[in-house]
Amino acid sequence: MAEAINGETGIKRQWDYNGVKVIAAYRPVGFMRWGLLAKLEVQEAYAPVRNVRLVIIVTIVVLVSLGVMASVGLAKVFTSPITELGRAAASLGQGNMQTRVRKGTLLLRDEISDLKDIFNSMAQQISSHQLILEHKVRERTLDLARANDGLAKEVEERKRIEGELEKAKDVAIAANRSKSEFLANMSHEIRTPLNAIINFTELCLGTQITPEQHEYLDYVRFAAQHLLRLITDILDFSKIEAGKLEIEDMQFSLFDQIEHAVSVLAARAFKAGLELCYRIDADVPDLIIGDPGRLLQIFVNLIGNGIKFTKEGEVVISASVKTQTEDSIEILFSVKDTGLGIPESKQSLLFKAFSQVDSSTQRVYGGTGLGLVISAKLAAAMGGEMWVESEGTENRGSTFWFTARFQKLQQSTTNAPSFKDAHALVVDDNHTSRCILVDLLKNWRMVADGVDTVEGAKALLHKAAVSGHPYNVVLLDMWLNGTDASELVDFLHMYPSLLANYSQPATSAFYTSEQMKYNSTKKNVLKGEETESKSTSDVSLPIIMLTSVNLIDVTRCKEIGIRFHTSKPVRRSLLVRVLKSALHAQDEVPDEGQASQISESLGRSLHILVVEDNVVNQKVAVKLLKKWGHTFVLACNGAEAIDKSTQEAFDLILMDVQMPVCDGFEATARIREIEKNNNGRRTPIVAMTAHAMSGDGDRCISAGMDFYVSKPLNAKKLQELLQSAAMGSFRGRHYSSPYCDDITKYV
């Protein structure tokens, strides 16, 4: 009230004097300091508000309850079809394909009803597809069942076939073993009588017989050696087919192998009237590592075919480097002839077994048709290949090429001979042979020229002498265009000053002393007329005659006063020695003491134990040893050999391999054991076998033998072996190639 009297206006909540909470409103009246105060209890003042609030709350609760109830009802209306669809989908998922949802009424058609229809349609399609799938599954199951039955039968069949194949494999292995044993036994059984036939024939040829008997025995020897060649071809082919071909690795001279091949076939080439020569490029190494026996076998086959199918012309062998690395070298070889030629359509038959280009050829020339097949397989085994080039025209011939890979020596000490600044003239009517020889001499640092006629040789000799550089040596073919070369020899005997001494270079004054005489008689000499001249000096002229393998040529050389000669095809080692002699540049010869020691060694008689069960082979060995001056003791089997080797000392033992009671392998092992236990001297043992099959050589060496030779015995090889033993230069742990011995005999 005081505030109102003071002119203030407001509302307050406070406690009155009775302690009741009231709401008081006050304001001044406006006159006389009067004021107006209104007071009301708080509870009474808010009673209507509380009533209104209660009504609002109740209304809200009622409305919310109604909304919830309506929502629940509507939810049931909308979710029940979806729930039904979910249960139906779950039922379909569990495999109940008959599950469907209830459709709505036409009056209450909505999206849910459409969804139900779509679901029912989908369920119907799933059900139909399920039926189709089940039908297909049943069909596939039946197919699989049938396939499983078929597979089971196939597995059983395969097992049966595998069992049969295993049995067939065992049978094939047994058959192959039987085949190898059969071939070995047949080789032994065939070679044993051949040994007697060939060696007794050779012994008989060395006796006093009539010319007619000599001719008959030559036919016998040729037929036996031809049969031996056929046997060797068949054995080689069987080894190749069985995959048992073995290639050795040993150091050898390539030049020697090529020269040996042409040397053993030189007689056939001479008889056929053919020129046989070989060319080796300067960069081809001499000493290499490989299989010399198999390489020789290829050469002999190809060169032999070239000679066989060439009527006239030449057969030329060449060797060049194809590729090389630090450790290996691939060499390209060729054998070219001027023979029949091979049509391109027929060349595919060359490397097929038992076939030749023409059956008529086989009848005319003979042969098994195995030579080229074996050669091609051997080339492949040596890391190379073989092929042929031919135009198919006669006289144009064919060229057989083959490559082979060899190992190189780490340090090669091969030195080519040197005849520096020596002047040589080669007179040969064969262009190929002449060019090869000229190139060879140039590689030896000589000044070499070539000419093909006597008239041309005279002109070159005259021209060289006039120029002040006369020739130091003449290499003259014995036969020039079918006639001997004695005319040129006579010419040089008349004018020896046309040839200068190699160690004393000629001067123009040395030539001039004979110049006038030569000019005065030049026309008559060139016309072939007889002229008189001073007698020739006792000193042999440096003329090297190139002869054939026919001994008649050697006799002819002596008749016309030629001291130096060598046969064609020219062998490098022999040519070097002859050149040194002709040029007076020989190596030092051994003194009388050394020569006498060598002669005594070569003539020393050996005491030999011959171990052989076959009576005929015993007689062959006895005859040969008696002929060479050796003493011997016979043993019929290995057991006797063991006993006799302990009773007396022998210089050498010739041991047969296949014998009754105790074979050669067992006997050798026992002898080596006795020597080891008694600390005795190791006696060289040479194996003699007629098997000649793959692995025989290695087996002999591993058994303790020192050398291996095949039957039929090559008398020359055996004699060389015995001479080596007599000289103390016998070196064991090696064995010769049976094929090399056989082909040497055959040729």
Side-chain angles (χ1 to χ4, degrees):
M1 182 58 91
E3 288 83 354
I5 294 174
N6 291 327
E8 296 178 7
T9 302
I11 300 174
K12 288 185 177 180
R13 288 186 182 185
Q14 59 187 6
W15 298 92
D16 64 0
Y17 55 87
N18 290 325
V20 178
K21 192 174 183 179
V22 296
I23 298 175
Y26 55 90
R27 62 178 293 177
V29 176
F31 57 91
M32 298 187 62
R33 297 183 58 87
W34 285 73
L36 179 63
L37 176 63
K39 183 175 67 174
L40 184 65
E41 292 182 5
V42 173
Q43 186 175 2
E44 182 180 359
Y46 282 98
V49 176
R50 284 196 297 270
N51 292 335
V52 172
R53 185 173 59 185
L54 178 61
V55 171
I56 292 173
I57 292 174
V58 171
T59 302
I60 290 174
V61 170
V62 171
L63 289 176
V64 169
S65 299
L66 292 175
V68 171
M69 293 173 62
S71 298
V72 171
L74 289 174
K76 289 183 178 180
V77 172
F78 288 107
T79 59
S80 60
I82 296 175
T83 303
E84 184 181 3
L85 287 172
R87 287 195 297 268
S91 180
L92 284 174
Q94 293 174 358
N96 186 5
M97 297 294 107
Q98 303 303 321
T99 301
R100 301 291 185 272
V101 294
R102 294 188 303 272
K103 296 182 179 181
T105 61
L106 295 175
L107 297 177
L108 298 176
R109 193 74 179 175
D110 54 8
E111 289 79 1
I112 299 295
S113 298
D114 294 338
L115 183 59
K116 289 181 178 180
D117 292 340
I118 293 172
F119 181 84
N120 289 336
S121 176
M122 181 187 67
Q124 182 63 34
Q125 291 179 6
I126 292 175
S127 178
S128 62
H129 285 306
Q130 175 71 14
L131 293 175
I132 295 172
L133 182 61
E134 289 178 353
H135 178 68
K136 289 184 177 180
V137 168
R138 284 194 296 270
E139 290 181 349
R140 296 294 185 271
T141 303
L142 292 175
D143 292 342
L144 288 174
R146 288 192 292 268
N148 189 40
D149 293 339
L151 184 61
K153 293 179 180 179
E154 185 177 351
V155 169
E156 293 178 359
E157 182 68 15
R158 289 200 173 196
K159 289 182 179 180
R160 184 185 64 81
I161 294 174
E162 287 177 358
E164 293 179 356
L165 287 176
E166 192 68 26
K167 293 179 181 178
K169 179 183 176 182
D170 295 338
V171 171
I173 292 174
N176 188 47
R177 189 183 301 110
S178 299
K179 174 187 173 183
S180 299
E181 293 175 356
F182 172 76
L183 288 174
N185 291 331
M186 287 303 297
S187 172
H188 181 273
E189 295 302 322
I190 295 175
R191 284 171 177 267
T192 296
L194 277 178
N195 180 52
I197 294 172
I198 293 175
N199 286 287
F200 272 123
T201 301
E202 291 179 351
L203 288 171
C204 189
L205 287 171
T207 61
Q208 296 294 328
I209 56 177
T210 65
E212 185 178 9
Q213 291 171 336
H214 196 286
E215 181 182 2
Y216 294 160
L217 289 174
D218 272 338
Y219 287 139
V220 172
R221 180 174 58 178
F222 177 81
Q225 291 170 348
H226 182 68
L227 178 59
L228 179 62
R229 170 71 185 279
L230 296 181
I231 294 170
T232 303
D233 279 348
I234 294 173
L235 289 176
D236 275 339
F237 182 72
S238 66
K239 285 185 282 187
I240 291 172
E241 289 295 305
K244 294 183 178 180
L245 182 65
E246 295 181 355
I247 299 297
E248 297 176 343
D249 284 324
M250 64 175 64
Q251 178 179 324
F252 70 96
S253 169
L254 176 62
F255 297 173
D256 286 349
Q257 290 303 109
I258 296 177
E259 291 176 352
H260 183 50
V262 297
S263 296
V264 297
L265 290 162
R268 284 179 57 188
F270 173 75
K271 186 177 181 180
L274 303 176
E275 188 80 18
L276 180 61
C277 50
Y278 65 93
R279 176 189 289 109
I280 303 175
D281 288 358
D283 59 343
V284 175
D286 181 19
L287 297 179
I288 53 179
I289 297 175
D291 192 329
R294 295 303 182 183
L295 183 62
L296 177 64
Q297 185 173 352
I298 297 176
F299 279 135
V300 171
N301 270 325
L302 296 182
I303 299 171
N305 283 343
I307 296 173
K308 182 192 299 185
F309 298 107
T310 302
K311 295 180 180 178
E312 59 181 358
E314 62 190 20
V315 178
V316 182
I317 301 91
S318 64
S320 60
V321 176
K322 185 178 181 182
T323 60
Q324 61 179 323
T325 62
E326 185 178 351
D327 300 324
S328 65
I329 183 171
E330 186 178 14
I331 301 179
L332 175 64
F333 302 98
S334 69
V335 178
K336 186 180 187 308
D337 61 65
T338 57
L340 298 177
I342 305 169
E344 186 175 355
S345 59
K346 301 289 187 179
Q347 292 178 9
S348 59
L349 299 175
L350 290 175
F351 303 105
K352 293 183 179 179
F354 306 106
S355 65
Q356 291 189 346
V357 173
D358 189 356
S359 59
S360 61
T361 301
Q362 189 169 2
R363 290 194 297 270
V364 173
Y365 296 98
T368 61
L370 290 175
L372 288 177
V373 179
I374 295 172
S375 298
K377 296 288 187 182
L378 291 177
M382 291 190 289
E385 59 179 338
M386 180 177 291
W387 68 94
V388 62
E389 294 177 359
S390 177
E391 298 179 7
T393 306
E394 189 169 356
N395 297 328
R396 299 298 294 272
S398 307
T399 303
F400 283 86
W401 301 85
F402 75 95
T403 59
R405 185 168 292 278
F406 304 94
Q407 298 179 30
K408 296 168 64 175
L409 294 178
Q410 295 297 327
Q411 295 181 349
S412 180
T413 58
T414 303
N415 294 320
S418 177
F419 300 93
K420 185 177 181 180
D421 297 332
H423 289 65
L425 177 62
V426 179
V427 186
D428 194 332
D429 59 339
N430 183 273
H431 174 75
T432 303
S433 178
R434 184 173 68 253
C435 291
I436 290 175
L437 198 52
V438 169
D439 291 341
L440 178 63
L441 297 178
K442 288 181 178 179
N443 289 335
W444 293 346
R445 305 179 69 182
M446 298 178 70
V447 180
D449 298 311
V451 67
D452 59 349
T453 62
V454 172
E455 306 302 329
K458 292 177 180 179
L460 284 180
L461 287 166
H462 169 62
K463 182 178 179 181
V466 171
S467 66
H469 299 286
Y471 291 104
N472 305 117
V473 64
V474 175
L475 286 83
L476 177 60
D477 190 5
M478 184 75 181
W479 299 96
L480 296 173
N481 299 316
T483 60
D484 65 26
S486 58
E487 179 185 347
L488 183 60
V489 175
D490 295 338
F491 174 80
L492 289 173
H493 275 112
M494 286 188 294
Y495 303 101
S497 59
L498 294 178
L499 298 176
N501 193 319
Y502 173 55
S503 60
Q504 298 176 357
T507 61
S508 58
F510 180 78
Y511 170 74
T512 305
S513 65
E514 295 290 331
Q515 180 64 36
M516 293 180 63
K517 186 174 183 180
Y518 171 71
N519 288 335
S520 65
T521 58
K522 178 178 177 182
K523 294 182 180 179
N524 291 336
V525 169
L526 294 179
K527 291 179 181 179
E529 299 178 359
E530 295 182 359
T531 58
E532 295 182 359
S533 62
K534 66 178 183 178
S535 61
T536 59
S537 174
D538 293 336
V539 179
S540 298
L541 291 176
I543 302 174
I544 300 176
M545 189 68 73
L546 306 179
T547 67
S548 68
V549 294
N550 196 334
L551 294 178
I552 298 177
D553 289 356
V554 178
T555 304
R556 178 61 178 160
C557 287
K558 295 179 180 179
E559 293 175 354
I560 61 179
I562 297 298
R563 175 186 174 189
F564 311 109
H565 56 82
T566 183
S567 62
K568 297 176 69 175
V570 176
R571 302 188 65 171
R572 294 188 176 203
S573 57
L574 294 179
L575 181 59
V576 169
R577 289 199 293 268
V578 175
L579 275 172
K580 287 182 177 180
S581 298
L583 296 173
H584 306 289
Q586 301 99 322
D587 296 331
E588 293 184 3
V589 297
D591 56 23
E592 291 185 6
Q594 292 175 332
S596 128
Q597 289 178 4
I598 294 174
S599 178
E600 290 177 2
S601 297
L602 289 174
R604 186 169 74 88
S605 175
L606 298 176
H607 190 48
I608 301 172
L609 174 60
V610 180
V611 187
E612 173 64 63
D613 63 317
N614 186 277
V615 177
V616 177
N617 288 338
Q618 287 180 357
K619 291 183 179 180
V620 170
V622 166
K623 293 291 184 181
L624 290 175
L625 295 178
K626 282 184 177 180
K627 180 180 179 182
W628 298 332
H630 301 294
T631 60
F632 57 87
V633 174
L634 287 176
C636 296
N637 53 60
E640 290 185 15
I642 296 171
D643 293 337
K644 292 183 178 181
S645 66
T646 58
Q647 295 173 4
E648 57 182 309
F650 295 96
D651 297 311
L652 189 75
I653 298 177
L654 296 177
M655 180 76 71
D656 188 20
V657 171
Q658 188 175 14
M659 295 179 293
V661 183
C662 177
D663 62 21
F665 299 116
E666 185 179 350
T668 300
R670 180 60 182 154
I671 291 173
R672 294 301 185 217
E673 183 180 356
I674 294 173
E675 291 175 345
K676 182 178 180 181
N677 294 336
N678 298 335
N679 295 321
R681 180 182 66 88
R682 179 186 175 91
T683 304
I685 299 178
V686 177
M688 301 185 301
T689 176
H691 281 191
M693 293 296 291
S694 176
D696 283 346
D698 292 334
R699 188 181 177 191
C700 291
I701 299 302
S702 61
M705 301 178 185
D706 300 278
F707 212 85
Y708 162 72
V709 293
S710 65
K711 296 177 183 177
L713 294 176
N714 187 324
K716 182 179 179 181
K717 294 287 184 181
L718 183 59
Q719 186 179 19
E720 291 175 354
L721 187 149
L722 296 179
Q723 288 176 351
S724 298
M727 296 176 62
S729 60
F730 186 85
R731 292 292 181 268
R733 322 310 293 176
H734 297 283
Y735 58 92
S736 64
S737 169
Y739 182 84
C740 295
D741 292 343
D742 294 344
I743 194 59
T744 302
K745 286 183 178 181
Y746 173 73
V747 174

